[in-house]
Amino acid sequence: MEELKVVADILKALHFSATKHRDQRRKDVEASPYINHPIEVAELLARVGDIRDLITLQGAVLHDTMEDTETTPEELEALFGVDVRRVVEEVTDDKRLPKAERKRLQIEHAPHLSACAKHIKLADKVSNVRSVTQTPPADWPLTRRLEYLNWTEQVVAGLQGCSPSLERLYHQLLKEGRQALDSERA
Ligand code: ZN
């Protein structure tokens, strides 16, 4: 019974997130539905990271709702509780800042995040490295893709120790990504 409650709570977050992201697409050539990304992040946490914590899994499904949709912190708190609201806030960039500053702050803030937020941030970077390598934004030249990989490495350096299995996967994908981009250049 308890397990079904957890499944229902995760599905509630998934339904909410899918509704919020319904008009968004990823930037790859196929313009995949945006929701594929938060689903992948939550799935990586559950399968690779062996995470069973409900707040972390709901937070993963919801992690881009505040940054990329009209979702408010109050809405998240009313539906999912204060802990989920806090973890989503922790992984949300301040969109009032210029992009370069937001990227710098991600590197600076990473070591100070809560354990839940570190897990989500790490799985997010695993998903993004995979996308930038295999299904990159259509208009990104190689140099931009390489710079992106380098930047994620700096963020992930601040997340060390939170999940050895996810870190291993991240470093493997980073290495494969660099090799793939190198051979695309050749
Ligand atoms: Zn994300």
Side-chain angles (χ1 to χ4, degrees):
M1 226 31 209
E2 201 38 46
E3 274 178 38
L4 280 179
K5 165 89 169 69
V6 170
V7 172
D9 287 347
I10 292 172
L11 290 173
K12 179 182 171 187
L14 193 52
H15 182 213
F16 178 88
S17 187
T19 305
K20 289 290 187 176
H21 288 295
R22 68 189 177 279
D23 294 325
Q24 276 182 287
R25 296 289 177 272
R26 300 287 280 173
K27 297 181 212 149
D28 59 293
V29 179
E30 291 185 8
S32 328
Y34 193 88
I35 192 67
N36 291 6
H37 164 68
I39 292 173
E40 183 187 13
V41 171
E43 196 266 345
L44 283 164
L45 285 165
R47 182 174 51 82
V48 182
D50 215 19
I51 297 290
R52 296 293 177 266
D53 174 57
L54 179 61
I55 305 297
T56 309
L57 295 174
Q58 285 184 309
V61 165
L62 298 164
H63 79 274
D64 281 330
T65 53
M66 273 179 55
E67 194 168 303
D68 294 334
T69 77
E70 298 291 288
T71 306
T72 64
E74 292 72 25
E75 215 176 347
L76 290 179
E77 182 168 338
L79 285 166
F80 304 105
V82 66
D83 293 336
V84 169
R85 169 204 169 134
R86 285 205 183 114
V87 75
V88 174
E89 280 182 314
E90 274 192 276
V91 297
T92 297
D93 285 352
D94 183 348
K95 279 210 150 171
R96 291 165 302 185
L97 300 172
K99 186 140 190 157
E101 176 67 359
R102 274 153 46 197
K103 294 192 115 181
R104 192 186 65 74
L105 285 173
Q106 279 205 35
I107 298 169
E108 195 176 298
H109 290 162
H112 311 292
L113 296 174
S114 68
C116 281
K118 277 186 179 172
H119 279 117
I120 294 170
K121 185 70 70 182
L122 178 57
D124 188 36
K125 294 300 179 257
V126 170
S127 166
N128 289 340
V129 163
R130 185 155 27 206
S131 305
V132 164
T133 303
Q134 297 170 8
T135 54
D139 57 344
W140 281 26
L142 267 179
T143 44
R144 179 158 180 199
R145 290 163 68 195
L146 260 179
E147 277 165 21
Y148 185 89
L149 296 186
N150 294 340
W151 168 71
T152 66
E153 191 176 28
Q154 288 180 276
V155 178
V156 169
L159 305 171
Q160 260 179 30
C162 86
S163 166
S165 54
L166 276 170
E167 280 168 59
R168 261 197 307 280
L169 177 59
Y170 168 81
H171 288 292
Q172 185 196 328
L173 289 171
L174 179 67
K175 192 173 128 196
E176 288 171 7
R178 283 178 171 147
Q179 285 168 352
L181 295 195
D182 261 352
S183 58
E184 273 187 49
R185 195 205 307 268

